Amino acid sequence: MAEGRGTEAETLEERPGSLFRVNRSFRLLFAAAAVSMFGTQIRLLALPLVAVIVLNASPGQVGVLGMLGTIAFLLIGLPAGAWMDRVHGRRRVMVVADLVRAALVGSVPVAYALGVLTLPQLYVVVVLSGFATVFFDVSSQSYLPAIVSRERLVEANSHLGGMEAVNNVAGPAGAGFLIQLITAPLAAAVDAVGYVWSALCLSRIRDREAPPPPPEGGKRHLVREIREGLVLVFGHPLLRAIAINGAMVNMSVSMIIVIMPLMFQRELGLSAFTLGLFFAVDGIGMLLGALTARRVTAWLGQGRGLWIIGLAVVPACAVFPLVDRGIWLWLAGAAWLVLNYRIGVNNVILISFRQQVTPTHLLGRMNATMRFLMHGVLSLGAALTGLIGQFAGVRTALWVGAAGLALAWLPLYFSPMRKMRELPREEPES
């Protein structure tokens, strides 16, 4: 007889106390995510700088690199979610995805050491890594409810969000230091090691997932299953607002992140270490957001607090694009911190809400639809940044990205969330 969430998870979840103390599976998942995310933060800075510094890439080529890194979410995001809802063994998918990414990213320092590194190789690495990331991300967010009870999802996501924010601080700063010390290609090797560590931790989790329910009529229909995910997200007034808000934020942030290496290296003449420190500021903002999310939204109201915070950070959008040497570097850094505080709050509250209201057998499709929208726009933002940077200038691209962030609170305001003190907690179907 098939087991549900696993003997250990079911027993430990009934005990009081911190998830770290009572839930071994969550400890392993947290350890895997911590090191993997640290390596990923290094890669996000290292690979664009490889293109800019080592391969002398143009703004358009940097935009293409950013676009290819996330285009997989547009190409396979939706069918990946439907497929993951058929799979009994999401943890195994995550392990394989980690090992594939380790091999791909590890090829960059090897090629550099042999003197054969090219821009086309970087393109291939980011494209194939993106495909692995799609399956990993869809699996991971759908897997968390298998080892953590739904009543403790906000707590679990708060821990994971806080850890991600810490990595956002340490990763870019560490990447900048490593790039100064051992060059950008060799710094990418740290990311490969992180993926191997993540795979080892995940392979030690022993909780069993519940098998997927049998399909209606005994047959699977991929198009119908994809449609069910789309209908769920776009048919739910709150999930729809969350998806649009997330897409606007991610597209705008993508534009900013893609263009900043060019701004710092060529426009302002600042070092890779300075760029790493600047990007570390977003981790501080996200950490503060993750740590205070439950308290602030309890005060303002979970629903209306999210759009109120979004509106409150709009002035920072007018300061950030003025980044320059001297005092304007500090002011832009402060604005970047404020903008990422809002993202940290949203990550804790909205991801938990999505998991709470979605029936278990639709989690993969819901997460895949959200990823398709929220991460698919990253490639569009990167491509748009490359075009704007190439033909209208680097700073113009920054202003366009900041404008998108300034408007991102509107979908939440024009939804039922506008007056809600608490987000509804629907009982998922079994």
Side-chain angles (χ1 to χ4, degrees):
M1 181 176 180
E3 294 184 40
R5 288 176 42 246
T7 303
E8 178 187 11
E10 291 175 356
T11 302
L12 294 179
E13 284 300 305
E14 296 174 357
R15 302 177 187 172
S18 168
L19 280 173
F20 290 109
R21 183 170 64 86
V22 303
N23 193 321
R24 175 179 179 271
S25 296
F26 181 74
R27 289 198 303 271
L28 288 170
L29 180 67
F30 185 91
V35 177
S36 176
M37 286 182 184
F38 181 82
T40 298
Q41 287 298 319
I42 293 176
R43 176 174 57 85
L44 290 175
L45 185 64
L47 292 189
L49 286 177
V50 168
V52 172
I53 298 173
V54 178
L55 303 175
N56 197 32
S58 68
Q61 290 171 324
V62 173
V64 170
L65 184 68
M67 177 190 70
L68 293 177
T70 53
I71 199 170
F73 285 96
L74 285 176
L75 298 178
I76 65 166
L78 293 178
W83 184 72
M84 287 310 304
D85 279 337
R86 302 177 180 184
V87 171
H88 182 207
R90 291 163 176 157
R91 178 181 59 85
R92 290 193 294 271
V93 174
M94 295 159 65
V95 171
V96 172
D98 270 335
L99 295 177
V100 169
R101 291 187 292 184
L104 289 167
V105 176
S107 72
V108 173
V110 172
Y112 175 73
L114 296 175
V116 294
L117 182 63
T118 63
L119 196 58
Q121 179 184 343
L122 284 187
Y123 289 161
V124 172
V125 167
V126 297
V127 168
L128 297 182
S129 296
F131 278 88
T133 297
V134 168
F135 286 105
F136 184 94
D137 286 358
V138 172
S139 300
S140 63
Q141 288 202 348
S142 303
Y143 183 63
L144 183 61
I147 62 174
V148 176
S149 66
R150 290 180 182 270
E151 292 74 17
R152 305 194 74 171
L153 280 174
V154 172
E155 179 185 355
N157 281 309
S158 181
H159 288 312
L160 291 169
M163 176 270 296
E164 181 179 3
V166 170
N167 270 312
N168 287 344
V169 176
F177 176 76
L178 285 173
I179 290 168
Q180 293 285 103
L181 185 66
I182 61 174
T183 73
L186 297 183
V190 178
D191 183 35
V193 173
Y195 287 134
V196 173
W197 170 268
S198 175
L200 290 174
C201 289
L202 292 171
S203 66
R204 296 179 60 199
I205 296 177
R206 293 292 177 259
D207 286 333
R208 301 181 186 178
E209 300 174 63
E216 297 181 8
K219 294 183 179 180
R220 298 279 187 182
H221 299 279
L222 182 62
V223 174
R224 185 180 65 191
E225 291 171 356
I226 291 173
R227 184 171 63 248
E228 287 174 352
L230 291 168
V231 169
L232 172 69
V233 171
F234 287 101
H236 195 296
L238 296 182
L239 288 177
R240 181 172 61 246
I242 291 169
I244 297 172
N245 166 263
M248 293 179 67
V249 170
N250 283 4
M251 183 170 181
S252 301
V253 169
S254 171
M255 296 182 68
I256 292 170
I257 290 176
V258 166
I259 209 67
M260 286 304 283
L262 287 166
M263 172 63 75
F264 270 64
Q265 287 283 312
R266 295 183 184 171
E267 301 290 325
L268 305 181
L270 297 172
S271 67
F273 183 60
T274 304
L275 175 62
L277 289 177
F278 187 89
F279 276 146
V281 169
D282 67 20
I284 297 174
M286 290 182 66
L287 176 60
L288 293 174
L291 293 177
T292 62
R294 286 185 288 178
R295 183 177 302 175
V296 171
T297 54
W299 174 50
L300 294 174
Q302 282 187 331
R304 66 189 184 193
L306 294 171
W307 71 260
I308 289 173
I309 294 171
L311 176 60
V313 305
V314 167
C317 298
V319 174
F320 176 78
L322 300 174
V323 61
D324 207 333
R325 300 177 71 95
I327 187 63
W328 283 106
L329 181 62
W330 292 93
L331 292 175
W336 190 231
L337 184 149
V338 169
L339 293 173
N340 281 276
Y341 173 83
R342 185 262 301 273
I343 296 175
V345 172
N346 285 4
N347 283 349
V348 171
I349 302 301
L350 295 183
I351 290 178
S352 301
F353 169 70
R354 284 160 40 188
Q355 293 167 333
Q356 287 169 343
V357 302
T358 303
T360 300
H361 70 283
L362 289 173
L363 276 170
R365 277 163 280 183
M366 180 278 292
N367 284 320
T369 302
M370 287 290 185
R371 291 283 178 174
F372 172 77
L373 296 169
M374 296 185 185
H375 286 232
V377 297
L378 297 179
S379 61
L380 300 179
L384 181 60
T385 300
L387 290 173
I388 296 174
Q390 189 77 31
F391 298 106
V394 171
R395 196 171 295 276
T396 301
L398 279 183
W399 278 108
V400 175
L405 289 176
L407 299 174
W409 62 278
L410 290 173
L412 302 180
Y413 179 80
F414 290 108
S415 77
M417 196 178 298
R418 180 171 69 249
K419 297 180 180 179
M420 287 182 176
R421 278 207 59 85
E422 293 186 5
L423 295 175
R425 294 175 178 268
E426 301 175 11
E427 185 67 24
E429 301 173 10
S430 58

